[in-house]
Each structure stands twice: as C-alpha cells, then as structure tokens.
Amino acid sequence: LPYSLDPLEYDAYIHHLTNRSLFSCLTSEYKLGEVSGEVAESWGHNLDKTKWTFKLKHNLKFSNGDDLTPEIVGKSLTRAAYIMKTKDSRSSLLENLIDLESLNNASAKFNGIRWDDHNLYLSFRNPQEQVPLRLSFGLYAIIHPNNYSSINGEWISNSIVFSGPYKVEKWDDLNFKIRLWDNKRLTLKRPIEAV
C-alpha cells in the first residue's frame, strides 16, 4: 500500500501504481514514445530551447470543484522546485530554472516559473531538450494548494484534493480503493469505475 500520496515520493514503485491515476501532469507518455497533452493543450519553445510555453486546457477541475488554472500549475511546480532545491536533488530539469537561487519558500514567485490566464512559462539557464517528456513523470504531477504548506511545501495529507480522473475512496492498513470521478480526462472508451 502507498505510504504517501505526495508526488515528490513518486520514486517508490507503489506510488507509480497509485498516484498516476490520482494526479494529472502537464503531459503524458501513456503511449510509449508519444508525448501528448494531459493538462497542457499545446506547447512550444524559443529557438535555443531555454524558454518553454505550455497552453493549458480550459475547464479542467480538481476533485473539489476548483478550477485547474495556470497559477495553480505554476505554484505546484514551484513547490516541487523549492523542495528539490532544499534537498539538493538533481531531477535534471527544475534545478536548471533561472533565478532558482532566489526561491526561498514553496510559494515564492521567481522568474523560472511564471503564468498568465492561459499559459505557463518555464525559463531555463541553458537549453533543455524534451521538457514535455520530462514533465510527464509523476514527480511533476499537479497538486492543489490545499495539499501542501505554502511556506515549506510540506505535504498535508488530510482532505486530499485530486487533479487526476480518480480519487481515493478508502485507504487504511489493508485497503486502498480509488473511484473514477471525472471520465472526461480519460481516452478509454470504457474506463474502470473503481479499483
């Protein structure tokens, strides 16, 4: 059974199995070798691949009904960047964001991650290849601000809000059950209702 639903604990194999259906990423590599948009509708970059723009899909919601906005996506990735920075983690992506040294808490604004009403902007110190593929990894899943401390980024495990098509229905020492709540995000013709 999973011991945490924090996407930053994604390296544990059990979390690969559970969290992928609970939390959405900007992109997905469900079909091996083919990156498609999950929360992102489209993306592009400048000539030297130091600046990436992700246009987000409209009308996506969290499991509590809140809109899934570029601001929330930006803050979710800022939290990941901050925690990885404090742990001196090398994900081979976020540590390359510009102005990362100025990031002093989990919700601070900095030039490496910005947003407007429709887009998310990532700016890197050096060219970055395959950013959409890298962002498909569960480590970069989009989480709701209610799920973490805005100061230190610490995961808050009560009343978890989900960005993926499933949410947890039961979780105890013997059982972990998830239930579909938003089938519009799935490309499956006959999705499984509960696992």
Side-chain angles (χ1 to χ4, degrees):
L1 294 175
Y3 58 82
S4 171
L5 294 182
D6 185 349
L8 293 180
E9 301 287 347
Y10 198 74
D11 285 342
Y13 180 70
I14 187 64
H15 298 151
H16 283 267
L17 300 176
T18 56
N19 288 11
R20 194 64 186 138
S21 297
L22 300 172
F23 299 103
S24 294
C25 292
L26 278 169
T27 58
S28 170
E29 194 195 15
Y30 284 128
K31 294 181 181 177
L32 192 59
E34 181 182 322
V35 178
S36 59
E38 192 170 355
V39 170
E41 179 178 296
S42 61
W43 51 86
H45 54 77
N46 64 353
L47 285 176
D48 69 358
K49 297 185 180 179
T50 57
K51 297 185 186 308
W52 287 78
T53 300
F54 292 83
K55 181 178 181 182
L56 271 58
K57 294 178 180 177
H58 299 291
N59 301 321
L60 291 180
K61 303 277 186 191
F62 284 95
S63 62
N64 69 349
D66 287 353
D67 291 333
L68 203 162
T69 65
E71 178 180 4
I72 288 178
V73 173
K75 288 180 176 182
S76 178
L77 291 174
T78 299
R79 179 233 181 204
Y82 173 73
I83 289 178
M84 291 171 141
K85 175 189 166 194
T86 61
K87 293 181 177 182
D88 199 28
S89 175
R90 300 291 172 203
S91 71
S92 74
L93 182 63
L94 298 183
E95 71 269 13
N96 295 304
L97 290 165
I98 64 167
D99 199 28
L100 186 65
E101 62 281 353
S102 75
L103 186 59
N104 59 10
N105 68 60
S107 61
K109 288 187 175 183
F110 75 113
N111 291 322
I113 300 175
R114 296 177 298 107
W115 56 83
D116 61 26
D117 290 342
H118 306 289
N119 302 300
L120 175 78
Y121 305 98
L122 302 177
S123 298
F124 298 96
R125 291 189 308 265
N126 44 41
Q128 296 297 308
E129 300 288 335
Q130 302 180 337
V131 171
L133 174 63
R134 293 181 192 178
L135 289 174
S136 72
F137 189 56
L139 184 67
Y140 307 113
I142 309 307
I143 57 174
H144 192 281
N146 289 356
N147 292 347
Y148 60 91
S149 162
S150 63
I151 303 302
N152 63 14
E154 184 176 319
W155 185 252
I156 300 170
S157 60
N158 56 345
S159 300
I160 297 172
V161 180
F162 301 98
S163 60
Y166 287 83
K167 63 182 180 177
V168 173
E169 186 172 84
K170 182 177 184 181
W171 184 13
D172 58 32
D173 290 342
L174 300 173
N175 301 286
F176 187 78
K177 184 177 182 180
I178 62 175
R179 179 164 296 281
L180 182 67
W181 71 272
D182 182 4
N183 65 5
K184 295 186 292 293
R185 293 189 200 195
L186 298 174
T187 56
L188 305 171
K189 292 181 182 177
R190 299 171 81 188
I192 298 170
E193 285 296 318
V195 180

